[in-house]
Amino acid sequence: MADARIIPAPNQNPETEPYYRAFGEGRFLVPVCLACGKAHWYPRFFCPYCGGKTEPRESRGEGTIYSYSIMRRVERPFALAYVELAEGPRMMTNLVDCDFDALAIGQKVRLAFKPAADGTAMPCFTPVPGER
């Protein structure tokens, strides 16, 4: 397992503030459009699909690996991935607490918060044991 990478501090703004606050409380929120009902990622005030207003909703914190890449030519290897959330959207995230050589596309993952360089809780994902 190689997850000693220090995650860069996020650039927060008024649109993302409620999400980072929830992350600090151990809750993972996903924006959902009040007009069309679609979930999306990255947090925005307005839906990227229809322009409707959005609201944060609690996520199950489950998903599958859609794509991933392992960065090995660095001091501390790490894995970046697009995870397809159970709610539908795909998000770029870190895969943590795992054997990078055992990762696979389609593998089930679950939420695991890790601190960024400034201490902000960041949503990361780890493989679900025994699931492929």
Side-chain angles (χ1 to χ4, degrees), residues 2-99:
D3 66 350
R5 172 180 181 249
I6 297 170
I7 299 169
N11 292 325
Q12 297 184 45
N13 60 52
E15 288 181 304
T16 62
E17 191 276 327
Y19 296 86
Y20 285 107
R21 187 171 2 103
F23 299 162
E25 298 167 355
R27 298 181 306 120
F28 183 52
L29 303 177
V30 172
V32 176
C33 179
L34 296 172
C36 71
K38 290 184 179 178
H40 60 274
W41 189 260
Y42 196 80
R44 302 175 181 102
F45 287 139
F46 298 101
C47 176
Y49 301 108
C50 75
K53 193 169 171 149
T54 65
E55 74 174 8
R57 292 197 186 154
E58 196 84 27
S59 167
R60 293 179 9 208
E62 299 171 352
T64 57
I65 297 173
Y66 176 78
S67 175
Y68 70 96
S69 185
I70 302 167
M71 311 307 157
R72 295 186 192 272
R73 291 186 169 193
V74 292
E75 183 180 332
R76 298 175 178 165
F78 62 97
L80 286 178
Y82 275 104
V83 167
E84 188 167 315
L85 301 173
E87 293 78 14
R90 293 182 188 131
M91 70 178 286
M92 183 178 276
T93 186
N94 290 273
L95 296 176
V96 297
D97 301 331
C98 60
D99 175 2

Side-chain angles (χ1 to χ4, degrees), residues 115-130:
D118 66 354
T120 301
M122 295 296 293
C124 300
F125 285 80
T126 188
V128 175

